[in-house]
Amino acid sequence: MRIATWNINSLRLRQGRLADLAAALDPDVIALQETKVPDELFPAEMPAALGYPHVLRRGMKSYNGVAILSRLPLGEIPDTPDWVGRGDCRHLAATVHAPGGPVALHNFYVPAGGDLPDRAQNPKFAHKLDFVAEAAGWFAARGPLARTVLVGDLNIAPLPEDVWNHRALLDVVSHTPVECAALEAWRASGFLDAVRHFAPPPERVFTWWSYRNRDWRASDRGRRLDHIWVSPDLAPALTRHQILRDARDWEKASDHVPVMVELAL
DNA sequence: ATGGTGGATGTTCCA
């Protein structure tokens, strides 16, 4: 089973690119973030036309929004928290009915956190830290996890090799020590970093390049904001991963590229 | 040190 995650940055604007993603990665499941579309305006026919007849989505106007497209039957996992009590559409959990048995899939879009890395002066940064801490506590309380995959735009690049310049980004939201520690605590609540299983440091891995770079490939000022984690019992099943860097050069590209992990389930 | 771009929306917020 191949699971892809992509911050699509507007589903309605970029839905045509999902065919390119499917052709490039051949995923069985696609988790999307920043769909920016209310459920009633979600393009209903599109996923089945691409070969993904099973769909869950949780969207709102303008901001946030997550969705899961699947070739395999899905069941929504109910009663997930309203993180930080915001009513945001930042999490969607599904049971994927894979041939070898059900797999729990969590799709997250973590708050970006604004510009100033100061909890007291920047409410967005406080929201981000609270969100991550709450999520870590929720998974820790449900452990030990089995046959569980967590994906999404977690908006934190936790390792020095997850950013183009570790020292330069220590005060930049997404790579501050407090965020890196918070994300590590969340991961350690029950997961293995699947992408780093295949590409351990010192290899640099990026999944996002700012729109503000004139030539993203030449400057390569990237960060690894998009993640795939698996419960430890799935470690022996990990067979392959792929970062679809080519997607950053697609016409009208998202600033994030798709990330895929394959599991022999 | 600054500002650079893009999406949704509506004359600004968010990333």
Side-chain angles (χ1 to χ4, degrees):
Chain A
M1 181 168 77
R2 283 178 292 278
I3 300 177
T5 179
W6 188 30
N7 180 322
I8 193 170
N9 188 16
S10 173
L11 176 76
R12 283 176 287 181
L13 186 72
R14 257 178 277 281
Q15 57 179 301
R17 289 303 174 189
L18 287 169
D20 299 307
L21 187 162
L25 299 178
D26 195 24
D28 298 291
V29 182
I30 302 172
L32 300 171
Q33 304 86 35
E34 282 211 270
T35 55
K36 298 183 178 178
V37 58
D39 290 344
E40 62 271 23
L41 296 179
F42 192 96
E45 315 299 326
M46 175 273 292
L50 292 172
Y52 298 87
H54 307 284
V55 179
L56 295 173
R57 69 273 195 286
R58 181 173 292 163
M60 59 193 283
K61 190 179 177 184
S62 304
Y63 307 116
N64 310 325
V66 283
I68 300 173
L69 282 47
S70 178
R71 291 171 176 161
L72 301 162
L74 298 176
E76 184 163 356
I77 296 176
D79 303 322
T80 51
D82 174 20
W83 304 102
V84 202
R86 298 302 180 99
D88 283 346
C89 299
R90 295 183 177 275
H91 177 220
L92 187 54
T95 300
V96 182
H97 294 285
V103 173
L105 174 64
H106 292 269
N107 179 17
F108 274 97
Y109 174 53
V110 170
D115 291 328
L116 193 62
D118 184 310
R119 167 186 276 286
Q121 296 184 65
N122 175 9
K124 292 180 186 175
F125 194 68
H127 177 212
K128 182 180 196 175
L129 295 179
D130 291 346
F131 188 105
V132 172
E134 205 172 298
W138 190 74
F139 282 98
R142 293 164 66 89
L145 303 173
R147 290 182 74 86
T148 301
V149 178
L150 187 154
V151 307
D153 176 5
L154 306 185
N155 263 318
I156 297 172
L159 304 179
E161 297 82 6
D162 290 336
V163 295
W164 65 278
N165 185 327
H166 171 58
R167 288 183 61 187
L169 271 70
L170 281 171
D171 294 322
V172 175
V173 172
S174 74
H175 193 60
T176 62
V178 64
E179 290 171 273
C180 296
L183 193 73
E184 169 60 14
W186 182 6
R187 189 201 55 71
S189 74
F191 295 100
L192 167 77
D193 183 334
V195 170
R196 283 304 187 184
H197 169 87
F198 294 106
E203 182 173 341
R204 288 186 173 199
V205 181
F206 307 147
T207 66
W208 172 90
W209 293 262
S210 171
Y211 283 125
R212 297 174 185 179
N213 291 319
R214 200 155 299 170
D215 183 336
W216 74 274
R217 204 182 279 273
S219 57
D220 200 21
R221 295 186 168 192
R223 306 177 200 172
R224 187 171 72 110
L225 303 180
D226 304 276
H227 298 270
I228 300 180
W229 297 345
V230 300
S231 54
D233 59 310
L234 293 180
L238 289 167
T239 50
R240 194 163 69 84
H241 90 295
Q242 193 170 341
I243 313 286
L244 192 61
R245 287 172 59 103
D246 288 351
R248 191 63 182 79
D249 277 332
W250 287 345
E251 195 176 339
K252 302 281 279 179
S254 170
D255 45 354
H256 297 253
V257 300
V259 180
M260 185 276 287
V261 159
E262 182 182 274
L263 294 150
L265 292 172

